[in-house]
Amino acid sequence: MARAVPETHEEILAAAARRFAVTGYKGTSLQDIAREVGCSKATVLYHFANKEALLSELMAPAIAVLEALDARIAAHTGADAQRVAGEGFVDLAVRFRREIALLRGELPDLLQQPAFAHVQQISERLIDAFAGRSDRPSARIAALVVLAGIAETCAEFIAIPDEELRPALLAVVQRALEPVT
């Protein structure tokens, strides 16, 4: 017996999240999502203009928090920028680790899409803050490793409780980044 047509965006979004987690964004078609929900591709397209629109809506809460963090960081320099970036990005990554896991391995390609182009610029500003606004290659390398490592760790350790993961990540951030002088 066929399932009823979904009545809300949420059912389609949940199915898209499950499919993206299993086969990745590029490996998932709108037909795959429709099949998962138990509806037609036309029904999915009624709710969402395309696959990018689905991903945009799935990622919108995380991107809004990232944009707010970017604004907070802009008001700081040196060690303060580094601290705000470290704490803020760890909090974001822990909170949105399921969304990060969905994009695992596909982020460089996704950042080329118009809806996500500004995320690359925010990432560059995060690296700058993690580096304490330093131009030293060693500080910038450490910053990039920390940024990528936090995201990868949160995607990998979905089941670790927030209250255990957050302090562990903050400790790594503190050890890995060059102190700002």
Side-chain angles (χ1 to χ4, degrees):
M1 178 177 201
R3 290 176 23 138
V5 172
E7 294 180 4
T8 64
H9 274 359
E10 288 71 32
E11 191 174 358
I12 295 170
L13 282 170
R18 286 190 301 272
R19 295 304 314 155
F20 294 161
V22 172
T23 58
Y25 176 76
K26 287 195 295 188
T28 300
S29 69
L30 289 176
Q31 185 59 51
D32 295 332
I33 295 165
R35 195 175 307 110
E36 174 100 6
V37 174
C39 67
S40 68
K41 181 178 170 183
T43 300
V44 173
L45 288 169
Y46 172 79
H47 289 278
F48 296 92
N50 51 39
K51 190 168 71 166
E52 184 179 301
L54 260 167
L55 182 63
S56 291
E57 192 164 325
L58 276 172
M59 300 309 295
I63 290 174
V65 171
L66 181 64
E67 290 167 343
L69 174 60
D70 186 41
R72 281 197 327 269
I73 290 168
H76 298 279
T77 60
D80 286 338
Q82 193 177 58
R83 179 189 50 76
V84 170
E87 291 174 3
F89 190 69
V90 164
D91 289 344
L92 179 149
V94 168
R95 178 177 170 192
F96 293 105
R97 63 180 115 166
R98 283 174 178 73
E99 289 81 353
I100 291 169
L102 294 177
L103 302 178
R104 205 173 193 181
E106 297 188 65
L107 192 56
D109 290 338
L110 293 175
L111 290 175
Q112 301 306 312
Q113 294 185 12
F116 300 105
H118 71 294
V119 174
Q120 178 64 39
Q121 295 164 342
I122 294 172
S123 296
E124 290 166 9
R125 289 191 294 271
L126 264 173
I127 290 167
D128 186 53
F130 274 132
R133 309 283 193 224
S134 171
D135 289 333
R136 287 186 323 278
S138 59
R140 301 198 65 79
I141 290 166
L144 178 57
V145 168
V146 167
L147 181 68
I150 290 168
E152 183 63 23
T153 299
C154 286
E156 180 66 27
F157 295 104
I158 297 271
I160 293 179
D162 293 0
E163 59 276 1
E164 191 175 335
L165 183 59
R166 184 180 187 278
L169 288 170
L170 288 172
V172 169
V173 167
Q174 220 170 29
R175 287 191 310 265
L177 294 178
E178 289 189 10
V180 177
T181 55

